[in-house]
Amino acid sequence: MGAVKSPIGDEAQKIAGDVLQGSLIDLIDLSLVAKQAHWNLTGRNFKVVHEHLDEIVALARGGQDDVAERAVAIGVNPDGRARTVADRTRIPQLEAGYLDDDKVVAAVTDILAQIIARFRERITATDEADPVTQDLLIGIARELEKQHWMFQAQT
Amino acid sequence: MGAVKSPIGDEAQKIAGDVLQGSLIDLIDLSLVAKQAHWNLTGRNFKVVHEHLDEIVALARGGQDDVAERAVAIGVNPDGRARTVADRTRIPQLEAGYLDDDKVVAAVTDILAQIIARFRERITATDEADPVTQDLLIGIARELEKQHWMFQAQT
Amino acid sequence: MGAVKSPIGDEAQKIAGDVLQGSLIDLIDLSLVAKQAHWNLTGRNFKVVHEHLDEIVALARGGQDDVAERAVAIGVNPDGRARTVADRTRIPQLEAGYLDDDKVVAAVTDILAQIIARFRERITATDEADPVTQDLLIGIARELEKQHWMFQAQT
Amino acid sequence: MGAVKSPIGDEAQKIAGDVLQGSLIDLIDLSLVAKQAHWNLTGRNFKVVHEHLDEIVALARGGQDDVAERAVAIGVNPDGRARTVADRTRIPQLEAGYLDDDKVVAAVTDILAQIIARFRERITATDEADPVTQDLLIGIARELEKQHWMFQAQT
Amino acid sequence: MGAVKSPIGDEAQKIAGDVLQGSLIDLIDLSLVAKQAHWNLTGRNFKVVHEHLDEIVALARGGQDDVAERAVAIGVNPDGRARTVADRTRIPQLEAGYLDDDKVVAAVTDILAQIIARFRERITATDEADPVTQDLLIGIARELEKQHWMFQAQT
Amino acid sequence: MGAVKSPIGDEAQKIAGDVLQGSLIDLIDLSLVAKQAHWNLTGRNFKVVHEHLDEIVALARGGQDDVAERAVAIGVNPDGRARTVADRTRIPQLEAGYLDDDKVVAAVTDILAQIIARFRERITATDEADPVTQDLLIGIARELEKQHWMFQAQT
Amino acid sequence: MGAVKSPIGDEAQKIAGDVLQGSLIDLIDLSLVAKQAHWNLTGRNFKVVHEHLDEIVALARGGQDDVAERAVAIGVNPDGRARTVADRTRIPQLEAGYLDDDKVVAAVTDILAQIIARFRERITATDEADPVTQDLLIGIARELEKQHWMFQAQT
Amino acid sequence: MGAVKSPIGDEAQKIAGDVLQGSLIDLIDLSLVAKQAHWNLTGRNFKVVHEHLDEIVALARGGQDDVAERAVAIGVNPDGRARTVADRTRIPQLEAGYLDDDKVVAAVTDILAQIIARFRERITATDEADPVTQDLLIGIARELEKQHWMFQAQT
Amino acid sequence: MGAVKSPIGDEAQKIAGDVLQGSLIDLIDLSLVAKQAHWNLTGRNFKVVHEHLDEIVALARGGQDDVAERAVAIGVNPDGRARTVADRTRIPQLEAGYLDDDKVVAAVTDILAQIIARFRERITATDEADPVTQDLLIGIARELEKQHWMFQAQT
Amino acid sequence: MGAVKSPIGDEAQKIAGDVLQGSLIDLIDLSLVAKQAHWNLTGRNFKVVHEHLDEIVALARGGQDDVAERAVAIGVNPDGRARTVADRTRIPQLEAGYLDDDKVVAAVTDILAQIIARFRERITATDEADPVTQDLLIGIARELEKQHWMFQAQT
Amino acid sequence: MGAVKSPIGDEAQKIAGDVLQGSLIDLIDLSLVAKQAHWNLTGRNFKVVHEHLDEIVALARGGQDDVAERAVAIGVNPDGRARTVADRTRIPQLEAGYLDDDKVVAAVTDILAQIIARFRERITATDEADPVTQDLLIGIARELEKQHWMFQAQT
Amino acid sequence: MGAVKSPIGDEAQKIAGDVLQGSLIDLIDLSLVAKQAHWNLTGRNFKVVHEHLDEIVALARGGQDDVAERAVAIGVNPDGRARTVADRTRIPQLEAGYLDDDKVVAAVTDILAQIIARFRERITATDEADPVTQDLLIGIARELEKQHWMFQAQT
């Protein structure tokens, strides 16, 4: 089968495709990182942070599907394979073993801040290229920024 | 914090811990592989296979949580980080780009068969070490074998 | 199409396959017998026994699907056709016409006791052959034994 | 206990009773045949046909209860025992073993067509005898004819 | 406001209107009688019969609305006022005070038989006059006959 | 069977019993009156008033069950038979035939006001006799007064 | 593919097919007309009529599917394309622009009366030809006549 | 009644109004076309495509309401009458009679591509005129493009 | 931490606290007694009484939470530990082993009558001390008295 | 329109009206205060307290509606306008800006204690005047006291 | 704790913060005004307008949370205290006492028009400053404009 | 009535019966202890621990029913009366009065560890005696061990 015919032009497709692929890596790794912390967490606030991390996982997984399906809808193949994620992720990785709740809250706050910064650039980048993609990214950014506030407020 | 006190002895903990960590890698990568195919699929059976793959994702994600939380419940830290998954996965990887539906069905059938073989070994390994872990693995194996049949039946 | 590749060896497949086919006949005929009594029942306890019999139907129908799909998942074709059920069932058959509630309660108690005895043998038979099949049978046996108690308690 | 007093006359009861007993055999065996195919199916359309067959099972099981309870409501004992179904069914039986999806679709189309023809006769037969029974049969016939179209459309 | 314009002719309207008004009285009083027994019941089968009577109430109340709204839809004013019900009901009335469960079951069986006989006449009467009204009455009759069987089966 | 043993003394039982029987007549007839208007209504506000009347029916039917079951719980037999309701109701009756929406709103406002006045007396009467009955009546009165306001506000 | 094999004879198929196609045009255009009024409505009763019109849309859309699928189930192709609807509809069309609520209520009452008259003819026409189709039309007619009463009652 | 006062200026209203009316025609006809195919479909993938087409219908109907209500909210009367749709639609029409599943998939892919192209222009056109309308169109476009991908992937 | 500051005065707190602690013992032991009977029941009415007893358990468990949380809300520590319940309960205890259904119904009727008598005293005792506590007790008493009637009616 | 006719006398109306208006101010401002804290909260317990505050908001909003509708039901106009709330509230106001979680818990505990004291007075005040209003206030007081305990327990 | 770190620059934060605070005041007071009318309403359309106003309340309350949480997410403290709302609201206030339904509809239409005008300005103001905030405001504006149309259509 | 006939032999019944009775005592007292702590808890983590304890209660109550009904299903009478629980429980008892959250977390962790140790022995004990009972115990043990980890992680 040939490539899916894109509803947008070649250049716009290139810009939006890169942006979506970058977002996909961010969101897949965010879900992996949040699960890693969800499982290895310790500390007096264990129960609350344990459950809060699953909200991040749900947000990241929902976002993955949206950006990956958006990519293929404009004719660009998303790549969310383990090797690709491991090699291209820009998210600082957690250490193995038990993770203290305070440190997790600080780390997640920091990770979200970095991802948000990249989403902000992506929103700007797609303004001309594809308002449909941009609107999707804005929606995800709003959720990320809301979680960023809620994690930051606990630090 | 010190390690979670395990309800089972040291040797049993070692055996069950290794088995659970191996299962975790299998199940995380299974979810990534199934999503990769879910997004890049093409072919006359696109709609059915696209949706069927999400049943695999749901099974793999549910299983991840169960095995990882079982690991930590016996005092062993699960490791589900991107790098760990990429390095240790034994699942044959999909190619990038569009994936033909027939090939995806064949690949998933094959991947499930391999994972099932490893789960069968793990079930044997935990028979003495920890019947609680074994019972969990049996439950997941039954679901994997059911999906294996359903994918295989389409080939 | 060739046979579904079984995740277990030939001998284990033979043992588990026989056990599952026997269970299938038991559970299909149990559902037919319970419906026959559900429809032709009379007596002061009609309403309660009428509804209780539908719990047996639901249990038997759920179990049918589980054992039949387990059979095919290990590469053995289940046979649940009318002729096969009629010829191979070991459940004592009800008479035609109206059925007194007390007699139905006694008959169902007896039928369940016989099926349970066969399930007990099947659980033993699959201990080595296939722990996944065994686990499924244990789960069904628990439900059958619970219903056996509840019917017996009314006699 | 004596027979349930019928709200309709003897002759009408005889006609409606025969019609309902015939419908009961059709619907019980339809559910057994559809489950047999549901379990032993193979082929590229496995997933869709596998699930479609369960719609037939649900329709047949719902119809069984309605016709059997209608029979006893007019004072006629329904007989849905395994031996009765096996001996009196007029539905062409499936072969044992794996069943190809295309052949299953053709077989189910044909079986539905035959059952519908019998329901059409039963609707005519009950026009005078019992409009309440007739109305029930018309409702089931509509569902059978809708499924007949949907299976036929795939051939 | 003038009368609602009827979708059927004058004579048909007269026939159907009388039939619907008669049905309304039957169904309202059935609901009152069933509630009276529901509240004043005693006996070993109290709990089952108490709840079974509420199924009669639900059926009678649902039927009331359907026949009364059908009447006004064909331009005939339904009359369901207390005085009208008390004066025109043909249902044998229960005594005041505690009601033995066996007697209630017998009485409800008898009451349902009488109402069913009247519905049978109404179904015949509307065959020519208004098939839409007839179809509604057939549906209610089926439910009444089903309940009649279930009460009778307990006697 | 003898009378249900009352949890309260004879005099209190007499007072509370009378109050509950009176409430029962009010609530049964309120439901009949509201349904009569629901069916025969006309006028520009038909749809809104038609649906609003069913809120009254639901309130009256829920209240019936509560007061009648409260009566029998204190050893007093409630009487909700058609003849009793028709003879003892103090609710002004609606005329037969079409009912103008404005007149219905005025009539229901008035009927509710009268019932509320009686409930107010009953609340006072049971203050000493039975606080449990009183609490039930207060709860119903609150709902009646809320509906009274909402009907009155439309006049 | 050849035509779907009809469960009824050629002449009956012709009669029922014409009736169903006519009903389809009525119901599709009814849904379009009701939506047009739903959107362009003004007047003091806007909110109630706006929402009431969506009940008509839901009824018309449900009916469309039923009659069209019934047509194909008897081997007749339904035609619900825009051009066909526009050319063959017998429903008087609404003017463009704002629509006064009183006029909409009158217009919908009138449109429903006309459609009901045609359904009445169709019910008669299919009495011999196909009781299954007839039963479907009777069911839709009952809903249309109920809505006709409710719209008429507001005028 | 005079026109609804628009929250936006005259020129913006003109631009947005035209865009919304055009979108309304596209979405109404899309729902009619998808239903026509839903009913007349044949082919091996009948069941999947039949159900997939109802997702298009749901999307188109939801979108219709949103764009039409958006139009009137800015003071422009939407026109969704049968004649208007038939005369102004730019969607290529399906032939009457049975429709092969492959051809339907190709036709729907093509129709969606054309509608998407018009939505892309409308999004550009409303950028200055009305960002609220634009945001609505972007949301619908995202759904249309997702469905376009999914239909295209099956070809 | 010091004691929770009570919203009521010391004496009132003392009275209400005693009453609530007494109620807590009654309700915890009622739930244990009802479960004991639920499990060890035999007799022809097994199914109905078995399920009815779980309504008592649900009522008793809901009541436990309400009275215990009410106690702590007024600054009094509830004590629901096993030893406290065993030592202070005034409920006559069931024998070990199988329990005949008729005897269970009689015993529960008697136990409920005794608890109700104590609740009646508690309602009087809190009238001055704390109307909020009193209102809670009245609500529980109503449910207990309703169950008392329903059990008594079966004897 | 004249005033809603009150079901209670003038003096009682005056007393109950004042009490309800006072409660309304308390409950509206409680909802505003709790939202203010919900949004501006910081601290290690952010997530738990943030969500707990929304339980207060839900309680306060539900209570507002109940007391305001109770006021108008007895013929007294509730006043819940911003200016009225700001001028008459007796709740100590929060500072602008970030709010530390410990301080919020202490402040809410204190605010609830003050509101409860006023509700206690209102319950006493309405004892003679209007038991229906009193019963409503008691119900709200119980919820407030339960929340007071839960906030106090964290301090 | 220091201020939440904003994901946007200082100037953008200032602009977006002001806009969000202004929106918060509008939405809180809109909810208070709508509740005030909801409670004090009278007139023939009471029921419809009473319920319609609660749709406004739900919209305003949902919007409050969104804008306030958006403010804090960008590091700006929202202020929704009673005094702030009373002093800064620009919504024309309702009079105390009963409110005629026609006047309420006119007043709400007018209030919504004014709020919409301010939201339009806020959407323009945030176009450069923060597209995420802008997107949120656009979504709320669409709902406000839809309600504005629906209220206006009734005048 | 004689004893329920057991599906297993005498010795197995003795072993399994003892194990189930022991488990019943553990689970009933666990539910009482957890409720005691749920009610008397204080401390900064009150809300989280308060709710977490109810997860323990739900687990313990569900487990009680399962082990008690399993006991009677194998012909052994479970004994869950207050005195039996108080005398035989091996769970260390909580002190009366307020309980500090940290101490509760430590105590529950310890209690769970002890119960788990006993369940581990019971799982071993039933391996030969009754695999159905063993499977039930394994399932409960898995839940207990998961909760043990979650409580321990907070210490």
Side-chain angles (χ1 to χ4, degrees), chain D residues 120 135 145-146 149 152, chain G residues 4-5 69-70 130 135:
Chain D
R120 286 274 166 184
D135 192 62
E145 291 178 9
K146 183 173 171 182
W149 150 54
Q152 193 179 171
Chain G
V4 167
K5 257 190 300 186
E69 298 193 343
R70 179 74 205 145
D130 184 14
D135 192 63

Side-chain angles (χ1 to χ4, degrees), chain J residues 136-152:
Chain J
L136 169 61
L137 298 173
I138 285 171
I140 297 172
R142 183 144 77 94
E143 291 306 311
L144 291 168
E145 292 178 9
K146 183 173 171 182
Q147 287 296 340
H148 174 249
W149 149 55
M150 292 207 284
F151 269 89
Q152 193 180 171

Side-chain angles (χ1 to χ4, degrees), chain B residues 44, chain D residues 153-155, chain G residues 1, chain H residues 41-47 99-101:
Chain B
R44 275 199 84 204
Chain D
Q154 307 174 54
T155 54
Chain G
M1 189 200 121
Chain H
L41 194 72
T42 64
R44 274 198 85 202
N45 280 332
F46 166 82
K47 195 71 181 354
L99 296 162
D100 181 72
D101 54 3

Side-chain angles (χ1 to χ4, degrees), chain C residues 24-81:
Chain C
L24 180 61
I25 299 298
D26 267 343
L27 292 166
I28 292 177
D29 201 29
L30 177 60
S31 71
L32 294 176
V33 161
K35 269 294 179 198
Q36 178 74 5
H38 176 79
W39 297 323
N40 289 289
L41 194 72
T42 64
R44 275 198 84 202
N45 281 330
F46 167 82
K47 196 70 181 354
V48 178
V49 178
H50 177 73
E51 288 173 359
H52 197 172
L53 287 163
D54 254 2
E55 294 181 24
I56 299 292
V57 174
L59 163 56
R61 285 181 177 168
Q64 279 167 41
D65 237 41
D66 287 343
V67 298
E69 297 192 343
R70 179 73 205 146
V72 71
I74 61 166
V76 174
N77 290 106
D79 185 345
R81 296 171 297 169

Side-chain angles (χ1 to χ4, degrees), chain J residues 81-146:
Chain J
R81 295 172 299 171
R83 172 67 46 206
T84 311
V85 175
D87 288 354
R88 298 196 201 159
T89 185
R90 295 160 67 187
I91 293 177
Q93 299 295 300
L94 299 174
E95 288 177 38
Y98 293 112
L99 297 162
D100 182 73
D101 54 3
D102 283 349
K103 287 185 189 154
V104 164
V105 169
V108 171
T109 303
D110 184 46
I111 287 168
L112 287 171
Q114 294 186 29
I115 295 176
I116 287 164
R118 288 192 288 272
F119 265 80
R120 287 274 166 183
E121 289 168 14
R122 290 165 188 147
I123 290 167
T124 304
T126 48
D127 190 29
E128 289 300 303
D130 184 15
V132 180
T133 292
Q134 187 195 38
D135 192 64
L136 169 61
L137 298 173
I138 285 171
I140 297 172
R142 183 144 77 94
E143 291 306 311
L144 291 168
E145 292 178 9
K146 183 173 171 182

Side-chain angles (χ1 to χ4, degrees), chain F residues 32-53:
Chain F
L32 295 176
V33 160
K35 270 293 179 198
Q36 178 75 5
H38 175 80
W39 296 324
N40 289 289
L41 195 71
T42 64
R44 275 197 83 202
N45 281 331
F46 166 83
K47 195 72 182 352
V48 178
V49 178
H50 176 75
E51 289 173 358
H52 197 173
L53 286 163

Side-chain angles (χ1 to χ4, degrees), chain F:
Chain F
M1 190 203 122
V4 168
K5 259 190 298 183
S6 179
I8 57 178
D10 285 2
E11 193 178 359
Q13 186 195 36
K14 175 76 179 64
I15 292 167
D18 285 355
V19 150
L20 289 162
Q21 174 64 29
S23 302
L24 180 61
I25 300 298
D26 268 342
L27 292 167
I28 291 177
D29 201 29
L30 177 60
S31 71
L32 295 176
V33 160
K35 270 293 179 198
Q36 178 75 5
H38 175 80
W39 296 324
N40 289 289
L41 195 71
T42 64
R44 275 197 83 202
N45 281 331
F46 166 83
K47 195 72 182 352
V48 178
V49 178
H50 176 75
E51 289 173 358
H52 197 173
L53 286 163
D54 253 2
E55 294 181 23
I56 300 292
V57 174
L59 164 54
R61 286 181 175 167
Q64 280 167 39
D65 237 42
D66 287 343
V67 298
E69 298 193 341
R70 179 73 204 145
V72 71
I74 61 166
V76 174
N77 290 107
D79 186 346
R81 295 172 299 170
R83 171 68 45 206
T84 310
V85 176
D87 288 353
R88 298 197 202 158
T89 184
R90 295 161 67 187
I91 293 178
Q93 299 296 300
L94 298 175
E95 289 177 38
Y98 293 114
L99 297 162
D100 181 73
D101 54 2
D102 283 348
K103 288 185 189 153
V104 164
V105 169
V108 171
T109 304
D110 185 46
I111 288 168
L112 288 170
Q114 294 186 28
I115 295 176
I116 288 163
R118 288 192 287 272
F119 265 80
R120 286 274 166 184
E121 288 167 16
R122 290 165 187 146
I123 290 167
T124 305
T126 49
D127 190 30
E128 289 300 303
D130 184 15
V132 180
T133 293
Q134 187 195 38
D135 192 61
L136 170 61
L137 298 173
I138 286 172
I140 297 172
R142 184 143 78 93
E143 291 305 312
L144 292 168
E145 292 179 9
K146 184 175 171 181
Q147 287 296 341
H148 173 250
W149 148 56
M150 292 207 284
F151 270 88
Q152 192 179 171
Q154 308 176 52
T155 56

